[in-house]
Amino acid sequence: MDLQNTVKEALNALYHHPDDTVRMQADRYLQDFQRTLDAWQVADNLLHDPSSNLETLIFCSQTLRSKVQRDFEELPATAFRPLRDSLNNLLKKFHKGHPKVRTQISIAVAALAVHVPAEDWGDGGIVKWLWDEMDSNPEYIPGFLELLTVLPEEVLNYKIAARPERRRQFEKELTSQMEVALNILTACLGISELKEQVLEAFASWLRLKHGIPGSVLSSHPLVLTALSSLNSELLSEASVNVISELIHYTAAGNIDGVSTNGPLIQVIVPQVMNLKSQLSDSTKDEEDVKAIGRLFADMGDSYVELIATGSDESMLIVRALLEVASHPEYDIASMTFNFWHNLQLNLTRRESYVSYGNEACIEAERNRRLQVFRPAYESLVSLVSYRVQYPVDYQDLTYEDLKEFKQTKYAVADVLTDAASVLGGDATLKILYMKLLEAVSSNGNNEQKEWRPAEAALFCIRAISSYVSVVEAEVMPQIMALLPKLPHQPQLLQTVCLTIGAYSKWLDSASCGLSILPSVLDILMNGMGTSEECAAAAALAFRHICDDCRKKLCGCLDGLFHIYNRTVSGEDSFKVPAEDSLHLVEALSMVVTELPLEDAQRALEALCIPVISPLQEAINQGPESLSKRPSRQLTVHIDRFAYIFRYVKHPQVVADAIQRLWPIFKAIFDVRAWDMRTMESLCRACKYAVRTSGRFMGLTIGAMLEEIQSLYRQHHQPCFLYLSSEVIKIFGSDPSCADYLKNLIEALFQHTTRLLTNIQEFTARPDIADDCFLLASRCIRYCPQLFIPSPVFPSLVDCSMVGITVQHREASNSILHFFSDIFDLANSTMGEQFLPIRDSIIIPRGASITRILVASLTGALPKSRVEVVSYTLLALTRSYGVQALEWAKTSIMLIPPTAVTDLERSRFLKALSDVASGGDTNGLIVPIEELSDVCRRNRAVQEMVQEALRPLELNLVSVS
């Protein structure tokens, strides 16, 4: 009683106390209480207590539901019947009570059925038990119907801590009882006020997707009831749900599955088709129209393979779906978008036609189908293109409305690319060009309105750019001629700039491309001076044009540098944000790549001048001033160097540049080594210099490595490790670099292993762990001759064992990949000769490594990491065969039998054994996932397993 009163007081505090701190304390107390063994009895007592208020009832019903789902194993085997009877009494008590409470109790009973085999419920399992209860207590039928509804839903509820084998068994039990369940529901149809509830329950059972043949369902009273209510004045939501599930039911499986349900399809399709006229009925309620639209969309999605044959019957469905797509409400029209995409895939993919035999027949059938569906996709382009038009009140849109509008535009763009895949890009372009002409001419001089339809048409034209032929000569020249005449309204100009960028490949290939480029560049210049969004779009378009038209632009360097210098220097009349100015740096760098060596040298110097000047100025003001500057004042310029080094593909020219610039870089390294942002930016610039210059780096690479080796000891910047891994990739196999690379990796790894001595350090420094083990993996791949025989290798293996279970995703993944690379050493270029050294380090640690991996699979790492851990365990098993199997057996035997059964253990070991003897690795996936699920099924089991495996103890001597 004391505990019950405490729970009531805590609930009262949670909902009504004015002090936030008190409410948080109450919430924490109640969460802790829900995990206790006492929670079973207290929640049950309070639910039976007539004085409990609604807040108490809701909390206790949720508690009881979660206890049954997650903690049923806490109870003794004898508790099942008393628990079932108590829940049954509560179901009766609340059959007219608060819906939330009744639903929670229904879910609790259903969860109990997942845990407890059918035979314990009596002959026929829970469904027969439920029928008997309904027979004996007809007044409680509404409450029992809710239980019948949630029962099949629990098949896929993974909150229930049931073993995979038991979950599969439960699904079989329900499937075998489907006929009985439908008989119960049919019997309840006689009670008119329960019809909606009966149909909802029927829809729920249909989601099991198997159990009763379509031929039986086609004349079933439940199906006929649902179909008949489609024609009633008030459309029943439950009926729509039933028909929707029936459509999915008939299509479960492949096209053959559809044909075996022929009789049911023949009953459903005509009834749904009869609703077509209601789509355009203005008197119809919008929710009803939405429900009808959903049924047509479901038919399209489910029968797409049949529809794609282009038969007369299927074209009736296509015309109905076009009508749905034409509905003024976007939410209704967009229901069909998935269908148009899937139909396009079916029409264009070769796999759809393999049954037609030879190439000639395949091509003939493909062309026939594309012709049949051509008018539908032409109509679709016209129907969706206007939906991307800015609303009149676009300036008043909230952030959320604007976000929704952008998502609408992206969705329409996807539909247009589907249409272009069927019609061809050039044909789709013609339709959209007519829309653009219409938009430009229809508004005359009305400046206020004319930009919105033109912007919408241009957005659509941009969306299909990759489908339009680069030699299209009929429409594109006219569009390009029209662009300079459009008003410079910011949103329109932004879309104009993006459209120019999207057609950069066409500009390069078109015979008139060179003559168009000056007017195009003028538009982009205007864009850069209009607004930040417009300038960003213009900068992006500039990059695309310089990328694709670089050869044409080599003769226009003066003009390009004029734009570049104005942007990089931050001239007031240009509004290009610093981040977007990188597009221009990239653009000019790509044009410079096309120049001959001497010209490229001069052009690269010109590229660097506006970037060097502010950095040199900052350095000239002395170390104290340099150290006090905000990072952004330096990184904005250093990032531009990174782009120059990345995109100027002249190795010698870049190597000369980095040699000249090294004193500036070194000055920043020396003064700002404490500043992570500046170091990351500088290391990124150095990384691209190394990547582009390669062996031309000469002396500069030695100075660079000496610098980061020295600074890493003091400042522990992860980016120093990352830069080193890039150097290893380029120079790892070069014998002339062996000495200083060996010194580098030994110094970096020695220092890192001293930093990462326990899991707390890994958690505090995940970026160092991530980059350290990325570097280690690179060493295995590119310079095993320097790394594997090194004295740091064993200490790094020990260090990685400590950190495997770090919760940081990238750090954990890097460590696991490092282990995989060690185990797969024989697959690397020079790895085989180092196998004896590897084995001398791994074999003594093999049992511990395996135990830590098994612990990671079973709960030490999140479920999302299971795939990576599995691969590591797989690599270990492939490398060490029987020995690895013994290690795994020893580890798995540590787990108590209450957590994992002998059968589950033997399945896992059998799968590993198959891999060890060279069998299919795919066979390991299911047993590993099931072992992982079993050991994570609830908190208590997970803690028990981790306590047994102790992943943080490297040398587990004995476990009692």
Side-chain angles (χ1 to χ4, degrees):
M1 282 301 292
D2 287 347
L3 196 50
Q4 286 173 212
N5 291 331
T6 309
V7 168
K8 283 182 177 178
E9 285 164 15
L11 282 165
N12 190 52
L14 178 67
Y15 289 108
H16 304 294
H17 202 283
D19 188 340
D20 282 351
T21 312
V22 174
R23 287 205 301 274
M24 280 174 64
Q25 285 171 346
D27 186 38
R28 205 172 300 119
Y29 166 80
L30 290 167
Q31 284 184 35
D32 291 340
F33 159 75
Q34 285 181 312
R35 296 191 194 107
T36 65
L37 200 55
D38 290 326
W40 288 99
Q41 193 63 59
V42 171
D44 188 65
N45 290 349
L46 288 172
L47 283 166
H48 283 94
D49 183 352
S51 68
S52 293
N53 62 16
L54 182 58
E55 287 159 359
T56 305
L57 292 174
I58 289 173
F59 172 76
C60 290
S61 61
Q62 287 172 339
T63 300
L64 208 50
R65 183 261 304 150
S66 74
K67 293 300 279 183
V68 176
Q69 285 180 333
R70 308 293 303 171
D71 301 325
F72 181 65
E73 288 178 69
E74 290 179 343
L75 299 177
T78 53
F80 162 62
R81 284 187 187 282
L83 177 60
R84 182 192 67 184
D85 294 344
S86 179
L87 288 169
N88 189 16
N89 289 334
L90 289 170
L91 209 53
K92 292 171 183 174
K93 177 183 175 181
F94 292 106
H95 83 285
K96 285 186 178 173
H98 196 280
K100 270 189 180 175
V101 177
R102 188 173 62 245
T103 300
Q104 295 298 311
I105 294 164
S106 296
I107 295 171
V109 180
L112 192 60
V114 179
H115 288 296
V116 179
E119 54 268 24
D120 291 8
W121 291 82
D123 188 31
I126 186 171
V127 178
K128 180 66 170 61
W129 172 84
L130 192 52
W131 197 350
D132 292 342
E133 286 294 323
M134 291 167 98
D135 256 358
S136 315
N137 306 281
E139 68 276 24
Y140 300 127
I141 284 175
F144 288 127
L145 267 180
E146 181 156 7
L147 171 55
L148 196 59
T149 305
V150 300
L151 204 51
E153 292 167 5
E154 298 310 289
V155 166
L156 295 175
N157 184 353
Y158 288 91
K159 286 180 183 173
I160 300 173
R163 296 172 185 277
E165 189 56 50
R166 174 60 207 144
R167 194 182 295 282
R168 285 191 289 269
Q169 195 55 44
F170 175 66
E171 186 172 4
K172 284 178 189 166
E173 288 167 7
L174 285 196
T175 304
S176 68
Q177 290 297 305
M178 191 167 183
E179 203 172 329
V180 179
L182 299 199
N183 288 342
I184 297 172
L185 293 174
T186 306
C188 293
L189 272 179
I191 310 167
S192 58
E193 61 269 25
L194 294 182
K195 191 169 88 171
E196 282 286 291
Q197 207 180 343
V198 167
L199 290 175
E200 282 296 358
F202 180 37
S204 180
W205 279 83
L206 285 170
R207 287 182 198 114
L208 285 176
K209 296 281 188 296
H210 43 65
I212 295 189
S215 53
V216 173
L217 283 174
S218 62
S219 56
H220 199 284
L222 288 164
V223 174
L224 300 178
T225 303
L227 287 169
S228 66
S229 51
L230 284 183
N231 304 315
S232 60
E233 193 59 39
L234 277 170
L235 194 63
S236 144
E237 188 183 340
S239 300
V240 170
N241 289 340
V242 167
I243 305 306
S244 175
E245 290 304 332
L246 283 168
I247 291 167
H248 296 313
Y249 190 93
T250 58
N254 54 23
I255 196 163
D256 298 328
V258 172
S259 59
T260 59
N261 286 309
L264 184 55
I265 294 172
Q266 284 162 15
V267 169
I268 296 169
V269 173
Q271 292 282 359
V272 176
M273 291 302 292
N274 287 341
L275 301 171
K276 186 184 162 193
S277 59
Q278 296 184 34
L279 286 167
S280 50
D281 185 347
S282 56
T283 63
K284 202 76 182 160
D285 179 74
E286 191 183 302
E287 286 305 310
D288 284 357
V289 177
K290 195 178 278 189
I292 294 165
R294 177 185 149 204
L295 289 179
F296 279 108
D298 282 342
M299 279 204 312
D301 290 339
S302 298
Y303 305 146
V304 68
E305 291 179 11
L306 290 173
I307 292 169
T309 59
S311 66
D312 292 344
E313 295 87 350
S314 68
M315 295 314 289
L316 294 173
I317 298 178
V318 171
R319 282 192 276 278
L321 284 161
L322 279 171
E323 199 152 325
V324 179
S326 70
H327 197 277
E329 277 299 319
Y330 174 76
D331 285 350
I332 294 172
S334 61
M335 288 176 178
T336 65
F337 288 2
N338 196 50
F339 162 74
W340 300 114
H341 174 66
N342 288 330
L343 179 60
Q344 174 267 122
L345 291 179
N346 226 285
L347 294 173
T348 55
R349 281 187 178 170
R350 193 178 183 283
E351 303 91 90
S352 310
Y353 303 96
V354 286
S355 61
Y356 286 86
N358 64 47
E359 286 302 320
C361 294
I362 285 174
E363 196 55 30
E365 177 59 18
R366 187 173 180 276
N367 290 336
R368 182 193 72 79
R369 290 189 186 187
L370 289 172
Q371 281 305 117
V372 167
F373 286 97
R374 197 170 188 81
Y377 276 95
E378 285 172 346
S379 301
L380 184 65
V381 171
S382 297
L383 288 174
V384 298
S385 56
Y386 80 93
R387 294 188 187 275
V388 299
Q389 188 170 308
Y390 272 92
V392 179
D393 61 345
Y394 76 96
Q395 287 171 313
D396 303 325
L397 292 179
T398 64
Y399 172 77
E400 284 304 316
D401 288 340
L402 205 55
K403 194 172 160 188
E404 199 174 306
F405 177 57
K406 280 183 178 174
Q407 285 169 344
T408 299
K409 292 181 89 166
Y410 296 146
V412 169
D414 287 342
V415 175
L416 290 169
T417 59
D418 288 328
S421 297
V422 174
L423 302 172
D426 296 6
T428 312
L429 182 69
K430 282 180 186 171
I431 299 170
L432 294 171
Y433 174 57
M434 296 314 293
K435 299 275 177 196
L436 178 62
L437 278 184
E438 204 179 296
V440 171
S441 58
S442 64
N443 288 293
N445 295 318
N446 187 345
E447 289 266 331
Q448 283 306 304
K449 285 186 181 176
E450 81 172 3
W451 72 270
R452 291 185 306 110
E455 190 280 334
L458 274 175
F459 175 86
C460 296
I461 287 168
R462 174 188 157 217
I464 62 158
S465 59
S466 55
Y467 295 83
V468 174
S469 162
V470 291
V471 294
E472 202 284 332
E474 188 182 340
V475 174
M476 277 311 302
Q478 296 180 65
I479 291 174
M480 287 294 174
L482 194 60
L483 296 184
K485 299 172 188 171
L486 294 173
H488 287 180
Q489 194 280 339
Q491 277 77 13
L492 175 57
L493 187 53
Q494 184 181 352
T495 302
V496 168
C497 291
L498 291 170
T499 305
I500 288 168
Y503 283 92
S504 55
K505 284 185 171 60
W506 180 86
L507 280 166
D508 183 49
S509 301
S511 55
C512 57
L514 193 59
S515 60
I516 294 171
L517 275 174
S519 65
V520 156
L521 291 173
D522 278 345
I523 294 172
L524 298 186
M525 291 271 281
N526 281 322
M528 287 179 201
T530 301
S531 69
E532 279 204 4
E533 291 82 4
C534 215
L540 181 63
F542 191 78
R543 189 199 74 179
H544 284 308
I545 286 174
C546 287
D547 184 10
D548 291 318
C549 308
R550 54 177 83 183
K551 285 188 169 67
K552 282 188 169 74
L553 291 169
C554 282
C556 317
L557 273 181
D558 289 345
L560 297 180
F561 267 110
H562 175 64
I563 299 172
Y564 169 78
N565 287 322
R566 285 180 67 183
T567 307
V568 172
S569 62
E571 194 179 297
D572 287 347
S573 63
F574 270 17
K575 295 182 168 63
V576 183
E579 201 172 312
D580 295 293
S581 72
L582 293 172
H583 290 316
L584 280 97
V585 180
E586 184 182 339
L588 265 289
S589 300
M590 290 188 289
V591 177
V592 170
T593 298
E594 291 302 310
L595 299 174
L597 196 63
E598 278 187 29
D599 294 344
Q601 187 108 32
R602 285 192 294 274
L604 182 64
E605 285 174 21
L607 268 180
C608 291
I609 286 167
V611 186
I612 294 170
S613 302
L615 290 175
Q616 188 67 65
E617 192 183 316
I619 291 164
N620 291 344
Q621 288 174 10
E624 193 178 341
S625 168
L626 183 60
S627 68
K628 287 179 179 172
R629 280 179 180 260
S631 305
R632 186 69 185 138
Q633 285 184 13
L634 300 172
T635 59
V636 69
H637 306 296
I638 300 168
D639 287 346
R640 287 168 181 163
F641 275 128
Y643 270 64
I644 292 169
F645 297 153
R646 183 178 183 180
Y647 292 105
V648 173
K649 301 294 185 187
H650 279 291
Q652 180 69 64
V653 172
V654 171
D656 292 346
I658 191 72
Q659 190 172 352
R660 287 194 307 275
L661 291 165
W662 179 245
I664 291 175
F665 280 25
K666 187 178 186 314
I668 299 170
F669 266 126
D670 289 342
V671 177
R672 301 283 298 209
W674 51 269
D675 172 15
M676 183 181 278
R677 275 191 178 179
T678 303
M679 289 303 100
E680 283 180 348
S681 178
L682 203 50
C683 284
R684 190 160 46 246
C686 290
K687 174 187 83 171
Y688 286 120
V690 170
R691 192 178 284 181
T692 300
S693 304
R695 306 293 164 83
F696 288 98
M697 282 284 282
L699 295 172
T700 318
I701 191 71
M704 190 185 288
L705 295 180
E706 200 176 303
E707 185 76 11
I708 60 173
Q709 190 175 322
S710 161
L711 291 174
Y712 182 65
R713 287 196 197 95
Q714 301 166 54
H715 299 285
H716 316 141
Q717 295 288 7
C719 55
F720 295 158
L721 296 167
Y722 182 68
L723 175 55
S724 302
S725 72
E726 193 63 37
V727 172
I728 291 294
K729 186 178 175 184
I730 306 293
F731 296 97
S733 57
D734 187 340
S736 65
C737 305
D739 286 344
Y740 70 72
L741 286 185
K742 186 172 185 294
N743 291 337
L744 172 77
I745 61 179
E746 286 185 2
L748 295 177
F749 287 142
Q750 270 172 12
H751 194 72
T752 306
T753 53
R754 288 187 198 125
L755 284 177
L756 303 174
T757 53
N758 54 50
I759 195 69
Q760 289 77 19
E761 287 294 343
F762 274 89
T763 304
R765 306 172 188 265
D767 293 341
I768 287 185
D770 180 20
D771 286 321
C772 167
F773 289 100
L774 279 173
L775 173 59
S777 282
R778 282 263 169 99
C779 289
I780 291 171
R781 282 182 225 133
Y782 295 101
C783 57
Q785 75 283 4
L786 303 179
F787 181 49
I788 306 287
S790 159
V792 295
F793 182 57
S795 54
L796 201 61
V797 170
D798 288 334
C799 179
S800 61
M801 288 167 66
V802 173
I804 289 181
T805 57
V806 66
Q807 297 303 294
H808 188 274
R809 187 182 63 205
E810 282 80 12
S812 169
N813 283 353
S814 292
I815 296 167
L816 289 163
H817 287 310
F818 168 61
F819 270 117
S820 303
D821 289 335
I822 294 173
F823 303 145
D824 290 338
L825 188 62
N827 303 339
S828 71
T829 322
M830 301 175 286
E832 209 159 338
Q833 59 186 298
F834 301 108
L835 292 182
I837 301 174
R838 177 200 71 175
D839 293 347
S840 70
I841 291 157
I842 295 299
I843 290 172
R845 297 165 174 80
S848 293
I849 293 170
T850 309
R851 174 174 50 79
I852 297 166
L853 289 174
V854 170
S856 302
L857 284 175
T858 54
L861 285 176
K863 186 82 168 71
S864 58
R865 225 72 55 76
V866 166
E867 190 179 336
V868 187
V869 181
S870 300
Y871 181 79
T872 310
L873 187 61
L874 183 75
L876 175 72
T877 309
R878 274 195 309 233
S879 288
Y880 290 98
V882 177
Q883 211 166 7
L885 207 56
E886 280 305 312
W887 295 334
K889 191 173 182 181
T890 305
S891 301
I892 206 89
M893 293 310 291
L894 294 171
I895 302 175
T898 48
V900 176
T901 64
D902 288 343
L903 180 62
E904 287 156 349
R905 250 186 265 271
S906 63
R907 261 198 204 134
F908 172 73
L909 291 171
K910 168 74 168 65
L912 272 185
S913 173
D914 290 347
V915 170
S917 54
D920 182 16
T921 55
N922 291 331
L924 189 58
I925 296 166
V926 172
I928 279 186
E929 285 186 347
E930 293 201 346
L931 180 74
S932 178
D933 288 343
V934 161
C935 293
R936 296 168 191 265
R937 63 186 185 272
N938 61 38
R939 186 190 288 241
V941 170
Q942 191 164 332
E943 286 172 358
M944 183 198 307
V945 171
Q946 293 308 306
E947 178 56 33
L949 291 170
R950 300 185 199 173
L952 297 179
E953 292 182 30
L954 295 197
N955 300 301
L956 192 58
V957 180
S958 63
V959 173
S960 56

